[in-house]
Amino acid sequence: MKENEIIFQAINIKKEFDVTVALKGADITLKRGEIRGLIGENGSGKSTIMSIAAGMQSATSGEMVYKGKTWNPTSMIDANLQGISMILQEANTIPGITVAQNIFAGREKEFTSHGIVRIKKMIRAAQALLDKYEIGYIHAADQIDRYNFEDRKLIELVRCINENIEILVVDETTTALSHNGRNVLYKLIHQLAEAHKTVVLISHDIDEILEHCTSLTVLRDGEIMGELTKEDMQKSDIANKIRYLMIGREMTGDYYRSDYDSVCSEVSRLSFQHVTFGRIKDFNLEVHAGEIVGIGGLSGCGMHEIGRAGYGLEKLIEGKVLCDGKIVKSCKDAIKYGIGYISKNRDTEALILNGSIQDNIVLPSLPDLQKGIYISKKSEHMLSDKEIERFHIKCADGNQWVNTLSGGNKQKVSFAKWTAKGANIIIMDCPTRGVDVGVKQFMYQQIMEMKKAGNAILMISEELTELIGMSDRLLIMKDFEISGQFKRSSGLKPADMINYMV
């Protein structure tokens, strides 16, 4: 085993989804000991090519070579057992079973004797791995459903690492992790590289790529646009070069807001009054018309729960949530009063993956489209097509299923369902998670248009730079309460907030 020895090659890989061409003959060569960054806009093909390598799906044409032999895995489990594992962007754990059973899914034979699976032995082995990777607070015997999205991603990480591991593919996973979770992942991928294993880090975060990767491949529209060495990546203007390769043009216009005017209406649109539930105690907040209120903090600080409460998804013990003076007791109330909610957990809470783009967009608006017992298909088409055009959603038409879209286009659908409804109070939980820099800029522009139109926006995010760049008023939460408040300012920096988070 030698460092820089070629371990994997994808040659002229093409992938088509009906009329959509995801890969147009892409080539990639991976070597032992490297941490290869893979970057590109949503829909560029970066996740597609590695999902083919990891056995998630097959190519339309082309060939793959792994360790000198033709490579055609029959499934992700098959690929994992032979040394190629992929951690997906969205949740990929099996509900209703234990953490241990998730970690050893497909490997039950290792704990089977005389046809009986030795559960206690499996739990002990799983706990040893959790402890080894410094996440021993997760208990192998627990049902996996009791853990949050971040913890389930770390459980997936443990599942992917076995004694046969040769190539680990990490697909946008860091966007779902806290600072501590990211450190666990970064430490592990560097350990793998030092052991002459190969890591592929798929990310939209250029800073992350430059800090942790030893090489970089840029994709655009299903084609390889460039490959950069570590030396290339250390040049002073490299971030701009990467962006140019990603989108094929220089970025124009503002990225975040360019103004520092936080003046807004005195009219309160969304109000939390002495809200108490779970570990949230006596929480108070007003969001005004034409105001963007940001909430930030570390994972587990309570900010995501506040977003859910604002949409009527949490049962309050005390206090109330008001929308224009009306009490919000349920998400049905929230929709009725004009509140939209973009969930952090896009694939499980915000979208119906096995439904069409049109069905997802028009769903909150169906009562408005209904005339008697009849809903006009023409009205549905017109409403859906308007939002598809507004958000530049890349698709064949509104009948295309959402599960065939890239992460950025899925997120656009999440936004479009509420603009179609005419919601004028929007709760956004991690609104740009897992989307590329071009889509982020577009979404920020849409958020500013909402603000200018007088909408009230509650933006919850784990990215402090995003909150600083977009918020009129920024709250930091720690231990389920507000620990700091900041007004919009040109001098505001993430470092100003760290002490309020930890």
Side-chain angles (χ1 to χ4, degrees):
M1 184 187 299
K2 298 179 181 178
E3 189 173 1
N4 294 323
E5 173 189 351
I6 293 175
I7 187 170
F8 175 86
Q9 288 179 290
I11 305 163
N12 197 28
I13 297 295
K14 298 180 181 179
K15 181 63 179 179
E16 299 173 359
F17 298 98
D18 296 324
V19 297
T20 302
V21 180
L23 292 170
K24 302 174 182 177
D27 300 326
I28 191 167
T29 297
L30 302 177
K31 298 178 180 179
R32 290 188 181 277
E34 75 171 326
I35 302 175
R36 173 70 64 89
L38 219 57
I39 197 166
E41 288 191 284
N42 291 111
S44 63
K46 57 190 184 299
S47 296
T48 303
I49 192 168
M50 295 317 303
S51 69
I52 292 170
M56 183 179 175
Q57 57 188 332
S58 58
T60 303
S61 63
E63 61 180 306
M64 295 184 291
V65 179
Y66 172 49
K67 294 199 288 190
K69 297 180 181 179
T70 299
W71 177 242
N72 289 302
T74 58
S75 66
M76 292 188 76
I77 290 177
D78 177 33
N80 178 263
L81 292 175
Q82 297 189 63
I84 300 182
S85 296
M86 183 172 183
I87 307 172
L88 303 178
Q89 179 179 344
E90 302 300 337
N92 193 36
T93 50
I94 306 167
I97 61 176
T98 66
V99 171
Q101 288 171 308
N102 267 274
I103 289 174
F104 291 111
R107 298 169 56 191
E108 291 84 0
K109 287 184 179 179
E110 298 175 25
F111 305 94
T112 301
S113 177
H114 304 295
I116 299 173
V117 179
R118 306 299 181 184
I119 297 296
K120 289 185 178 180
K121 182 179 179 182
M122 179 187 287
I123 289 171
R124 286 196 297 271
Q127 192 63 54
L129 288 174
L130 293 166
D131 293 341
K132 176 181 177 181
Y133 297 121
E134 301 177 11
I135 50 173
Y137 64 87
I138 297 174
H139 301 297
D142 287 346
Q143 291 286 305
I144 197 160
D145 306 83
R146 68 174 295 179
Y147 289 99
N148 62 26
F149 187 82
E150 176 185 358
D151 289 337
R152 293 200 300 273
K153 297 310 294 182
L154 293 174
I155 291 165
E156 285 182 53
L157 178 62
V158 173
R159 181 176 67 197
C160 285
I161 308 301
N162 57 51
E163 65 274 9
N164 299 320
I165 189 73
E166 296 286 359
I167 301 174
L168 175 66
V169 182
V170 182
D171 188 2
E172 292 289 349
T173 299
T174 53
T175 59
L177 299 179
S178 66
H179 177 74
N180 290 336
R182 293 183 189 196
N183 285 340
V184 170
L185 175 61
Y186 295 146
K187 180 179 179 180
L188 178 58
I189 65 177
H190 285 285
Q191 288 175 343
L192 288 172
E194 290 168 4
H196 305 303
K197 309 300 182 182
T198 304
V199 178
V200 179
L201 181 60
I202 302 173
S203 177
H204 294 305
D205 188 334
I206 294 176
D207 291 335
E208 177 180 62
I209 290 282
L210 294 177
E211 181 176 356
H212 296 285
C213 296
T214 58
S215 57
L216 174 61
T217 298
V218 184
L219 288 94
R220 185 171 78 235
D221 294 332
E223 298 180 281
I224 305 293
M225 302 310 298
E227 294 195 345
L228 307 177
T229 65
K230 187 66 175 178
E231 290 72 28
D232 294 328
M233 293 161 65
Q234 291 172 344
K235 295 178 181 177
S236 59
D237 64 341
I238 192 61
N240 287 331
K241 181 178 180 180
I242 292 170
R243 292 189 187 98
Y244 183 81
L245 289 172
M246 285 172 60
I247 63 179
R249 56 179 172 78
E250 298 291 344
M251 291 183 64
T252 58
D254 294 329
Y255 187 67
Y256 297 127
R257 291 170 59 179
S258 58
D259 72 290
Y260 293 97
D261 180 7
S262 58
V263 175
C264 62
S265 168
E266 295 182 0
V267 177
S268 175
R269 300 298 314 280
L270 183 65
S271 176
F272 297 77
Q273 298 185 2
H274 306 290
V275 166
T276 298
F277 66 97
R279 295 176 65 184
I280 301 290
K281 309 296 182 185
D282 197 26
F283 183 89
N284 295 277
L285 175 64
E286 303 280 340
V287 186
H288 302 89
E291 183 181 32
I292 302 174
V293 175
I295 303 183
L298 299 177
S299 180
C301 69
M303 59 184 176
H304 303 300
E305 289 84 345
I306 291 299
R308 290 174 56 82
Y311 189 62
L313 289 170
E314 297 287 352
K315 185 174 178 60
L316 306 186
I317 298 173
E318 293 180 10
K320 55 191 174 183
V321 175
L322 298 176
C323 173
D324 296 330
K326 298 182 286 289
I327 298 177
V328 179
K329 294 183 178 180
S330 66
C331 56
K332 184 177 180 181
D333 286 343
I335 296 171
K336 179 180 177 182
Y337 301 152
I339 301 175
Y341 174 62
I342 299 169
S343 172
K344 174 186 177 183
N345 301 322
R346 180 173 59 222
D347 282 13
T348 55
E349 294 183 352
L351 298 172
I352 303 171
L353 295 182
N354 292 328
S356 69
I357 297 169
Q358 176 177 298
D359 288 343
N360 275 270
I361 289 176
V362 305
L363 183 60
S365 302
L366 289 178
D368 305 324
L369 299 175
Q370 187 171 345
K371 295 182 179 180
I373 61 171
Y374 178 71
I375 297 176
S376 166
K377 289 294 181 184
K378 182 179 179 180
S379 298
E380 290 187 62
H381 291 321
M382 289 177 62
L383 184 61
S384 173
D385 289 348
K386 178 183 176 183
E387 297 304 317
I388 289 172
E389 182 178 354
R390 170 180 175 169
F391 284 93
H392 307 300
I393 298 170
K394 292 182 180 179
C395 60
D397 55 41
N399 294 318
Q400 185 173 333
W401 279 28
V402 169
N403 62 11
T404 65
L405 298 177
S406 67
N409 285 298
K410 286 179 181 177
Q411 193 68 351
K412 288 180 178 181
V413 175
S414 299
F415 270 74
K417 64 191 287 186
W418 297 116
T419 54
K421 170 64 177 172
N424 46 36
I425 301 168
I426 311 287
I427 300 170
M428 306 174 177
D429 194 345
C430 297
T432 64
R433 183 174 71 84
V435 306
D436 62 60
V437 63
V439 175
K440 277 191 175 185
Q441 182 187 39
F442 175 79
M443 301 313 290
Y444 294 145
Q445 291 169 350
Q446 292 298 310
I447 292 168
M448 275 305 295
E449 290 301 315
M450 294 175 187
K451 170 184 164 61
K452 290 176 183 176
N455 294 349
I457 298 168
L458 181 60
M459 177 186 283
I460 300 161
S461 178
E462 293 162 5
E463 296 185 35
L464 287 179
T465 52
E466 176 173 77
L467 294 172
I468 293 169
M470 295 302 297
S471 301
D472 293 303
R473 185 160 47 102
L474 176 51
L475 313 179
I476 297 298
M477 289 188 68
K478 175 185 175 183
D479 296 333
F480 298 88
E481 63 182 16
I482 296 172
S483 57
Q485 299 193 44
F486 302 87
K487 287 187 176 182
R488 183 164 187 77
S489 164
S490 60
L492 198 56
K493 301 287 189 299
D496 300 331
M497 305 171 193
I498 297 301
N499 289 338
Y500 295 91
M501 298 170 62
V502 297

